[in-house]
Amino acid sequence: MSQGEKFKLVHGFLIFFYCFYSILHLNGVFVIVFLSIGGLYHLLKEKKINFPFWGALAGLCLCYAVFSYRLLLVYFFSAELVYPSQSRI
């Protein structure tokens, strides 16, 4: 899609299944950073925003947020979600 190819349903399924079968904290962050650097390079080189690419990257981040919601809740809000059966004394 970095060459200006239109976003197709196949691309959406690939993003969805990649997020479903990979783990955000092991490789997802690196994939997002690598794709963002490539997108910024393309933006600076072409001086043109590639909306399908950035939309797909936003979809990737959204899918990771949906599939890894417990990790994000624990990280940003409370560590109690990890062990809800234990009470604090």
Side-chain angles (χ1 to χ4, degrees), residues 47-89:
K47 307 276 193 253
K48 183 179 172 185
I49 297 175
N50 189 355
F51 288 107
F53 174 79
W54 291 106
L57 189 59
L60 178 71
C61 293
L62 182 67
C63 284
Y64 267 129
V66 169
F67 290 124
S68 302
Y69 72 94
R70 287 194 56 103
L71 174 70
L72 297 174
L73 285 175
V74 168
Y75 185 75
F76 288 114
F77 297 109
S78 172
E80 294 177 14
L81 290 175
V82 175
Y83 302 110
S85 63
Q86 293 181 353
S87 62
R88 293 185 184 229
I89 299 174

Side-chain angles (χ1 to χ4, degrees), residues 14-60:
L14 287 173
I15 290 170
F16 178 80
F17 285 116
Y18 181 76
C19 291
F20 184 72
Y21 285 113
S22 67
I23 300 172
L24 173 65
H25 63 279
L26 291 180
N27 66 348
V29 175
F30 301 107
V31 169
I32 290 171
V33 167
F34 179 73
L35 289 175
S36 297
I37 291 171
L40 288 173
Y41 173 75
H42 185 267
L43 177 68
L44 294 174
K45 182 180 172 187
E46 299 292 326
K47 307 276 193 253
K48 183 179 172 185
I49 297 175
N50 189 355
F51 288 107
F53 174 79
W54 291 106
L57 189 59
L60 178 71

